[in-house]
Amino acid sequence: MDCVVDSNVKVSRKSKEEKKVFKKQLKASHTLLRHEGISTASQPTKSLVVANGGLGNGVSREELSSVLKEMGEVEALVMPPHKPYAFVTYSIERLTVPVLYILSTVSQEEEASVPLPDGLVLLEDFVSPEEEALLLAAIDWSSADNDVTAQKALKHRRVKHYGFEFRYDNNNVDKDKPLPAGLPVACLAVLQRCVSERHIDMMPDQLTVNQYESGQGIPPHVDTHSAFEDTIMSLSLGSKTVMDFRHPDGRCVPVVLPGRSLLVMKGESRYLWTHGITPRKFDMVPARDPQSPAQTATDPGTQSQLTLSKRGTRTSFTFRKIRHKPCRCAFPSACDSQGAPPAPSPPSPPALPSCHSDAARLEEEYVHRVYEAIAPHFSSTRHSPWPRVCHFLSSLPPGGVLADVGCGNGKYLAVNPEVTAVGCDRSAALVQICAERGFHAFVSDALNVPLRTASCDACISIAVIHHFSTEERRLEAVKELVRLLKPGGRALIYVWAFEQEYNKQKSKYLKDFKKEHHGKSSPTVNAPEESQEPHGKSPCHASTHSEESNEPTQDVHAAAGKLSVHTNRTAFNTQDLLVPWHLKAGKKKEKSEETRGQTCSNDNGAAPVFHRFYHVFQQGELEQLCGLVAGAKVQSSYHDQGNWCVVLEKH
């Protein structure tokens, strides 16, 4: 992290190092004005900006505070979510270090609290450290006696069932076949306390123990109504995590679950809201505990008092009571006992955006959220760089600077070791994967990349621009690439093509249809390395995917003005559409109570299917778009296995 000097200082008679610092401060000043609407001052003020030191590039509040306190007494520290910079206010104006001064005091955002879903209660420190140790010791993961505890090694976690086994093939329990071993004796004292404190009315007889390593999670789901009684309790042991609760109307409430806390779900929170844990290694959490954790949850989208929390191993004990009569809850639309379908039907497809704000909302829901949620599995399918992209990268001269805008898991950042490569992506989870692989990457939107103008010898944008939902936003994305380039620099752009059959040759995306439906498909048919579908990276915009079914999703044509859902492995019928992404959990599908509450699911009860927005480009459209950018020209263009591609050069 680094601080930068006042941008209004003159450059004359400065050393080479001072000029370098001046350029940094100028860049930071422009970024601040563009992103936050904040202007700099020529004289010292109490409020300063810290460049390259924010939550968006992995700097925690504690780390930054320890550095800033060495410069003086800190009154306030504001760290915007997902941003690579922070704001600090000191008690005095005179400082002994060079900084970027802010024209006016940066106001501290008030903590935004949202109510927890009805019926949800969080009890912190419910068990003592000694009780936690006893409970963890009672679970013998080394035992292979599946007839007693029904231990499972699922793709993203380890599971043990006690009392009754939850069966993932039918999302229910066999109520006439209890397991030989009941609940562990170590749980009894905790459960008796739950009864005496009226958190539950009857003793549970079923326990599911899940163990999550760092980076693992669980998809959003509603526990099967017909299988269990109303109250469900989840005891979190070990590492802290964040669980997201989502209402069918789109509301989302992130709830921080500290170690040794008990989460009690009743009524609406149990029957209607989905709950899940996004797979990632760091969570954004409040820097201080909410005053009323049992009544409210902090919204990280508006909360300024945030920090990063590194996940460790977390073990959850979920206690439930087997239901022996049909469910008669007040939510029949979500209740399998009252005739609700096994999984919710796909929501009504959204309409094409008519303004900038509509476009931003569409991309947030149908691009950003999906890639953020699927990052680990998405990355596992993105491993083979495309040959013609590699050829472009290998042609770059040694010592140059490359920006990969929408870098995904960073698979192109190491292709040419002779250049300095930096990546950015809208998905914080994918940027974290880049960091774990040793790549330089940061969180950024493709429309506003916080890099200096004319600082790059080359840029690549692979499978990014087709996720923008209006021509104006697609044009802005191309302009941003050109802005980053030095004169003479080149940008390579790939987008998905409307024409999947070109020069009488079908793309591999279409050719794989027969393989997929004659039992010869690969485990992950969505992977672009196999299909040449160009979502090899998330855009600096991001969205999710789930388990693949053996039958193609039927085209769903909504009312006039609505987007349609594309049938995988078939020719396109329209340019603006939603493309299903199916998550593979190995050769055998994992079907569980975790997947029942997803927004969209296959009719056979398989894991849910999520949809990403695409605008597929017709022949000549990408060249025409690039031709609208002043100061650049199309050097070459070509069709590469279902993608339209251009090399753009800056004058």
Side-chain angles (χ1 to χ4, degrees), residues 4 68 134 150 166 203 240 259 311 319 322 349 368 401 427 448 496 558 650:
V4 291
L68 296 176
L134 287 173
F166 186 89
M203 286 290 285
K240 176 192 301 183
R311 288 187 187 175
F319 298 98
I322 297 298
H368 301 180
V401 176
S427 167
N448 293 289
W496 208 0
K650 185 173 183 177

Side-chain angles (χ1 to χ4, degrees), residues 266-288:
K266 297 181 180 181
E268 184 175 303
S269 67
R270 179 265 189 268
Y271 289 122
L272 190 61
W273 292 65
T274 66
H275 58 280
I277 298 173
T278 301
R280 55 186 174 226
K281 296 197 173 183
F282 288 88
D283 288 312
M284 281 197 304
V285 301
R288 58 175 181 267

Side-chain angles (χ1 to χ4, degrees), residues 20-180:
K20 185 178 179 181
V21 172
F22 175 79
K23 289 181 179 179
K24 285 187 176 181
Q25 61 161 33
L26 194 60
K27 166 191 156 187
S29 179
H30 290 164
T31 300
L32 203 60
L33 184 61
R34 175 186 295 178
H35 287 230
E36 303 290 344
I38 295 176
S39 301
T40 58
S42 59
Q43 298 298 322
T45 68
K46 290 185 178 182
S47 296
L48 321 168
V49 63
V50 181
N52 198 29
L55 297 173
N57 54 358
V59 179
S60 71
R61 177 174 294 272
E62 292 75 16
E63 292 173 318
L64 186 56
S65 294
S66 65
V67 174
L68 296 176
K69 286 178 180 177
E70 297 178 2
M71 306 178 196
E73 183 181 351
V74 175
E75 286 188 352
L77 175 60
V78 178
M79 300 184 74
H82 308 296
K83 299 294 185 180
Y85 46 78
F87 304 105
V88 58
T89 300
Y90 283 94
S91 59
I92 59 175
E93 294 181 354
R94 297 179 61 187
L95 296 173
T96 59
V97 296
V99 294
L100 180 63
Y101 304 117
I102 306 302
L103 191 58
S104 59
T105 301
V106 178
S107 61
Q108 181 85 9
E109 292 185 31
E110 294 184 2
E111 292 185 8
S113 295
V114 293
L116 292 180
D118 288 346
L120 189 67
V121 176
L122 177 63
L123 304 168
E124 297 189 23
D125 298 319
F126 189 77
V127 296
S128 66
E130 293 75 19
E131 288 175 311
E132 178 184 44
L134 287 173
L135 289 166
L136 291 174
I139 308 303
D140 182 10
W141 293 106
S142 64
S143 172
D145 192 353
N146 291 340
D147 292 335
V148 176
T149 61
Q151 181 168 324
K152 304 283 184 182
L154 302 180
K155 184 175 182 180
H156 300 294
R157 67 195 191 285
R158 293 198 294 181
V159 178
K160 270 183 177 288
H161 298 289
Y162 294 84
F164 293 83
E165 177 184 3
F166 186 89
R167 292 182 50 185
Y168 299 119
D169 57 347
N170 62 6
N171 290 330
N172 217 310
V173 292
D174 192 336
K175 301 170 184 177
D176 297 323
K177 293 184 179 180
L179 294 170

Side-chain angles (χ1 to χ4, degrees), residues 426-481:
R426 180 59 174 74
S427 167
L430 286 171
V431 169
Q432 179 62 34
I433 291 173
C434 288
E436 292 165 4
R437 299 175 67 182
F439 300 139
H440 298 291
F442 56 89
V443 177
S444 171
D445 192 289
L447 300 181
N448 293 289
V449 180
L451 293 177
R452 189 173 69 247
T453 298
S455 60
C456 301
D457 298 281
C459 296
I460 59 174
S461 172
I462 312 300
V464 175
I465 294 176
H466 54 216
H467 283 301
F468 288 102
S469 55
T470 66
E471 182 178 2
E472 291 75 17
R473 292 168 70 81
R474 294 188 286 272
L475 178 60
E476 288 302 313
V478 178
K479 287 181 178 179
E480 186 69 354
L481 294 173

Side-chain angles (χ1 to χ4, degrees), residues 123-128 131 189-191 193-195 197 199 233 235 259-264:
L123 304 168
E124 297 189 23
D125 298 319
F126 189 77
V127 296
S128 66
E131 288 175 311
V190 174
L191 293 177
R193 189 159 75 247
C194 291
V195 173
E197 295 178 4
H199 301 306
M233 301 188 304
L235 185 65
R260 300 188 288 109
S261 66
L262 180 70
L263 189 69
V264 183

Side-chain angles (χ1 to χ4, degrees), residues 352-582:
L352 272 172
S354 58
C355 62
H356 174 82
S357 58
D358 287 347
R361 283 193 292 269
L362 176 70
E363 292 159 16
E364 172 65 27
E365 181 173 358
Y366 289 95
V367 186
H368 301 180
R369 292 179 183 174
V370 178
Y371 280 106
E372 186 66 18
I374 65 168
H377 181 268
F378 178 84
S379 177
S380 72
T381 68
R382 271 57 189 169
H383 45 77
S384 300
W386 296 347
R388 297 191 71 167
V389 179
C390 291
H391 181 268
F392 174 85
L393 296 175
S394 299
S395 70
L396 302 179
V401 176
L402 166 70
D404 185 347
V405 180
C407 63
N409 66 357
K411 71 176 182 179
Y412 291 113
L413 294 177
V415 169
N416 186 347
E418 300 298 319
V419 301
T420 299
V422 61
C424 63
D425 202 282
R426 180 59 174 74
S427 167
L430 286 171
V431 169
Q432 179 62 34
I433 291 173
C434 288
E436 292 165 4
R437 299 175 67 182
F439 300 139
H440 298 291
F442 56 89
V443 177
S444 171
D445 192 289
L447 300 181
N448 293 289
V449 180
L451 293 177
R452 189 173 69 247
T453 298
S455 60
C456 301
D457 298 281
C459 296
I460 59 174
S461 172
I462 312 300
V464 175
I465 294 176
H466 54 216
H467 283 301
F468 288 102
S469 55
T470 66
E471 182 178 2
E472 291 75 17
R473 292 168 70 81
R474 294 188 286 272
L475 178 60
E476 288 302 313
V478 178
K479 287 181 178 179
E480 186 69 354
L481 294 173
V482 173
R483 181 188 70 80
L484 297 176
L485 290 173
K486 298 176 181 177
R490 296 180 298 155
L492 175 64
I493 302 173
Y494 265 58
V495 294
W496 208 0
F498 181 84
E499 298 83 1
Q500 289 296 301
E501 186 171 350
Y502 184 70
N503 284 342
K504 299 182 180 180
Q505 292 290 324
K506 289 185 177 181
S507 68
K508 197 168 185 293
Y509 176 72
L510 294 183
K511 288 179 180 179
D512 279 348
F513 179 84
K514 290 184 178 180
K515 287 184 182 180
E516 182 179 336
H517 298 289
H518 287 83
K520 298 179 181 179
S521 63
S522 59
T524 313
V525 298
N526 281 323
E529 292 78 13
E530 299 162 306
S531 69
Q532 294 300 315
E533 175 188 348
H535 33 310
K537 314 188 183 181
S538 77
C540 286
H541 273 86
S543 243
T544 312
H545 65 235
S546 86
E547 213 166 87
E548 179 75 275
S549 69
N550 290 325
E551 294 300 325
T553 304
Q554 294 298 315
D555 274 17
V556 179
H557 296 285
K562 297 281 189 175
L563 294 171
S564 63
V565 178
H566 174 61
T567 299
N568 283 330
R569 308 296 178 185
T570 64
F572 295 115
N573 295 319
T574 182
Q575 285 189 265
D576 297 290
L577 38 78
L578 301 177
V579 178
W581 180 290
H582 304 264

Side-chain angles (χ1 to χ4, degrees), residues 324-363:
H324 294 282
K325 295 181 179 180
C327 177
R328 291 292 179 259
C329 67
F331 309 96
S333 63
C335 182
D336 59 318
S337 289
Q338 300 181 62
S345 300
S348 176
L352 272 172
S354 58
C355 62
H356 174 82
S357 58
D358 287 347
R361 283 193 292 269
L362 176 70
E363 292 159 16

